[in-house]
């Protein structure tokens, strides 16, 4: 029997990384041993960590799904999103193994049907995130041309999927609607965006790793084939949640932006008097709510990759995701108000509040000794 391949994945506790680890563990446990060191043990900011770990493990491929939090300062964004990926790629090149890099549509301007080469020019006024992601893409391309690096870069748009612990991007939008903190629509009609289905991505990564000649040194947009109108998506979520808001009133950009500017001034004052306050993440991306950004998936379509779930889109996934996140946020007491008619299963909640002894008795009755069959499978 052929020995298992070893894959190293950075960012395994994140939305994308976690989905990839889960995929390998469920779909290819016999052929791939996927290792995902925690960021506490292995920091992409430390060259020594990277070199030592990869030299010890000697993997057959490396996938980088790490990123610094969106609001990170310039130093952290530079170290995690640019310098780290380049050191990883150098190490992968030394071991002569493929390096899979996850990038973002933040490297692209607004617009429709954007191709892989339509990147933003690198300029000082870009956000720390966009700038660092763009810099990484540029250096990786050069490393492939000049140093023979075997890499593939996958650009994601707005990602949807389970296990987003940090509640970013699309899940932040879902959260704002569920939390009833979006009274009206902060977008304009027909603002189309591309979306990425997190659970399809690992299938593509695996396919790329199995077909290096085709995918070597190339960047791919990995997005659903049909872009989605933001207002339609928000109103669909609202109807699933059976909420009365957001009302179908479109706030013009100038008005929303003035509100954001006023809030920025207030936050500056708060910070001056020692209060820790930052702009809510949903407002950091206000511009993109009003500007379309759709990515061409022509290159992906023309590749040998076959979509494993062609019928699946953000709309078909919505019921499952809404139910998953609502349950989770409600258990974590993150949602302050939600429609009480929407039955969220909390089987022990009332007993836990009113009669904890009953729960202790129930657990004791089930048994608290060691498991007899602990090692049976
Ligand atoms: N989510 C989206 O909507 C979206 C959209 C477009 C592109 N992307 C791209 O997809 C990739 C993954 O994003 P995500 O949404 O999965 O991010 P995420 O949920 O925020 O996860 C980020 C991961 O990076 C790890 N990390 C952070 N600093 C690290 C360090 N110094 N060393 C090692 N690991 C570190 C984190 O570990 P800890 O939690 O332990 O710090 C976490 O596992 C990124 O390249 C991002 O640009 C995401």
């Amino acid at each position: 029997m052929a020995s298992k391949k070893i894959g190293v994945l950075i960012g395994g506790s994140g939305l994308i990384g976690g989905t990839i680890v889960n995929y390998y563990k469920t779909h290819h446990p016999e052929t791939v041993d996927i290792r995902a060191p925690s960021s506490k043990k292995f920091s992409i900011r430390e060259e020594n960590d990277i070199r030592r770990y990869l030299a010890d493990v000697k993997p057959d491929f490396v996938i980088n799904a790490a990123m610094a939090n969106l609001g990170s300062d310039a130093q952290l964004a530079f170290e995690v999103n640019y310098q780290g990926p380049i050191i990883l790629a150098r190490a992968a090149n030394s071991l002569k193994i493929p390096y899979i890099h996850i990038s973002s549509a933040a490297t692209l301007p607004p617009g429709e049907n954007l191709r892989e080469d339509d990147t933003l020019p690198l300029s000082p006024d870009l956000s720390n995130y966009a700038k660092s992601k763009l810099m990484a893409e540029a250096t990786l391309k050069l490393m492939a041309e000049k140093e023979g690096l075997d890499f593939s870069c996958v650009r994601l748009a707005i990602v949807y999927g389970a296990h987003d612990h940090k509640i970013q991007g699309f899940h932040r939008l879902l959260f704002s609607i569920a939390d009833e903190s979006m009274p009206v629509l902060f977008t304009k009609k027909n603002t189309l965006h591309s979306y990425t289905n997190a659970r399809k991505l690992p299938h593509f990564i695996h396919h790329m790793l199995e077909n290096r000649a085709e995918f070597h040194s190339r960047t791919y947009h990995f997005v659903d084939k049909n872009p989605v109108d933001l207002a339609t998506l928000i109103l669909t979520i609202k109807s699933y949640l059976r909420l009365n808001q957001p009302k179908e009133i479109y706030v013009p950009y100038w008005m929303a932006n003035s509100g954001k500017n006023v809030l920025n001034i207030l936050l500056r004052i708060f910070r001056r008097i020692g209060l820790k306050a930052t702009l809510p993440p949903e407002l950091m991306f206000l511009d993109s709510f009003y500007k379309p950004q759709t990515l061409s998936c022509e290159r992906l379509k023309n590749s040998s990759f076959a979509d494993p779930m062609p019928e699946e889109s953000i709309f078909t996934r919505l019921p499952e995701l809404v139910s998953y996140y609502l349950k989770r946020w409600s258990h974590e007491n993150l949602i302050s108000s939600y429609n009480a008619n929407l039955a969220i299963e909390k089987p022990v909640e009332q007993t836990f509040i009113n009669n904890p002894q009953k729960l202790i008795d129930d657990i004791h009755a089930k048994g608290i000794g060691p498991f007899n069959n602990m090692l049976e499978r």
Side-chain angles (χ1 to χ4, degrees):
M1 200 175 78
S3 65
K4 273 191 190 185
K5 279 191 174 168
I6 299 178
V8 165
L9 178 131
I10 320 298
S13 65
L15 166 64
I16 299 298
T19 312
I20 299 171
V21 171
N22 187 40
Y23 164 85
Y24 274 107
K25 294 210 156 150
T26 36
H27 288 77
H28 302 285
E30 308 299 334
T31 50
V32 178
D33 174 7
I34 193 88
R35 313 260 177 102
S38 108
S39 66
K40 289 177 190 70
K41 212 173 102 187
F42 172 110
S43 174
I44 199 180
R45 299 166 72 192
E46 302 293 333
E47 180 171 336
N48 284 343
D49 280 12
I50 298 176
R51 292 177 61 151
R52 198 177 319 120
Y53 185 82
L54 294 185
D56 281 355
V57 172
K58 296 192 188 61
D60 296 283
F61 61 85
V62 175
I63 303 169
N64 176 25
M67 69 173 260
N69 281 343
L70 286 172
S72 297
D73 66 15
Q75 184 70 28
L76 196 60
F78 166 79
E79 288 181 9
V80 178
N81 299 341
Y82 177 62
Q83 186 178 254
I86 300 312
I87 300 170
L88 268 180
R90 289 185 69 185
N93 205 9
S94 314
L95 298 171
K96 299 274 165 258
I97 56 170
Y99 170 70
I100 307 292
H101 182 75
I102 310 292
S103 194
S104 160
T107 58
L108 298 165
E112 297 195 20
N113 207 24
L114 299 162
R115 307 232 158 210
E116 277 78 358
D117 295 331
D118 291 337
T119 47
L120 284 161
L122 182 62
S123 80
D125 54 340
L126 291 174
S127 71
N128 294 338
Y129 177 62
K131 199 189 291 177
S132 52
K133 296 297 275 186
L134 204 51
M135 287 162 67
E137 286 193 9
T139 302
L140 290 174
K141 201 164 159 224
L142 193 70
M143 286 169 77
E145 284 161 16
K146 299 247 186 276
E147 308 292 342
L149 171 72
D150 176 11
F151 88 106
S152 300
C153 172
V154 193
R155 249 189 232 137
L156 313 182
I158 305 167
V159 177
Y160 59 95
H163 306 291
D164 183 357
H165 306 295
K166 295 187 186 156
I167 322 181
Q168 301 183 119
F170 165 70
H171 311 104
R172 172 60 53 180
L173 177 82
L174 180 57
F175 182 86
S176 309
I177 303 169
D179 194 40
E180 298 186 64
S181 49
M182 190 192 286
V184 284
L185 296 174
F186 292 97
T187 181
K188 62 178 199 280
K189 281 188 181 166
N190 303 320
T191 307
L192 296 176
H193 294 114
S194 288
Y195 284 77
T196 295
N197 185 333
R199 72 173 174 188
K200 287 185 186 181
L201 176 67
H203 293 265
F204 181 51
I205 290 180
H206 180 65
H207 183 80
M208 286 198 300
L209 284 165
E210 295 290 294
N211 296 278
R212 290 313 301 150
E214 179 183 351
F215 294 94
H216 180 286
S217 311
R218 299 212 84 186
T219 295
Y220 286 82
H221 289 167
F222 192 78
V223 293
D224 291 347
K225 61 178 182 299
N226 295 320
V228 170
D229 169 40
L230 181 57
T232 308
L233 180 61
I234 294 174
L235 296 172
T236 310
I237 296 171
K238 168 186 158 181
S239 80
Y240 274 126
L241 295 174
R242 293 183 238 148
L243 295 170
N244 298 322
Q245 58 179 41
K247 303 279 179 221
E248 203 175 336
I249 299 169
Y250 292 81
V251 179
Y253 178 72
W254 66 265
M255 201 186 273
N257 200 39
S258 322
K260 179 179 153 186
N261 291 340
V262 171
L263 191 60
N264 256 327
I265 294 169
L266 286 174
L267 290 175
R268 237 174 279 147
I269 297 171
F270 286 160
R271 282 195 290 263
R272 239 177 246 163
I273 58 169
L275 290 174
K276 193 175 179 307
T278 51
L279 202 63
E282 44 276 49
L283 286 186
M284 289 197 309
F285 297 100
L286 188 66
D287 280 14
S288 58
F289 292 176
Y290 288 85
K291 291 180 184 158
Q293 194 193 49
T294 68
L295 279 60
S296 161
C297 51
E298 210 47 34
R299 186 177 285 178
L300 180 69
K301 218 170 75 190
N302 292 335
S303 77
S304 61
F305 175 68
D307 186 341
M309 304 157 222
E311 299 311 319
E312 198 166 284
S313 73
I314 189 155
F315 290 110
T316 64
R317 283 278 278 145
L318 256 187
E320 202 188 315
L321 288 177
V322 164
S323 156
Y324 166 83
Y325 279 109
L326 234 61
K327 250 183 227 161
R328 187 185 173 114
W329 296 332
S330 148
H331 284 304
E332 290 171 356
N333 279 333
L334 288 176
I335 303 187
S336 53
S337 62
Y338 65 89
N339 190 340
N341 296 328
L342 206 81
I344 293 173
E345 216 187 307
K346 284 188 172 180
V348 300
E349 188 178 43
Q350 284 313 314
T351 327
F352 183 77
I353 294 168
N354 301 317
N355 189 0
Q357 186 58 45
K358 179 175 180 325
L359 294 180
I360 290 189
D361 295 343
D362 289 351
I363 293 284
H364 289 191
K366 268 197 207 157
I368 53 171
F371 293 113
N372 297 330
N373 50 358
M374 182 69 191
L375 299 177
E376 281 171 24
R377 300 198 70 190

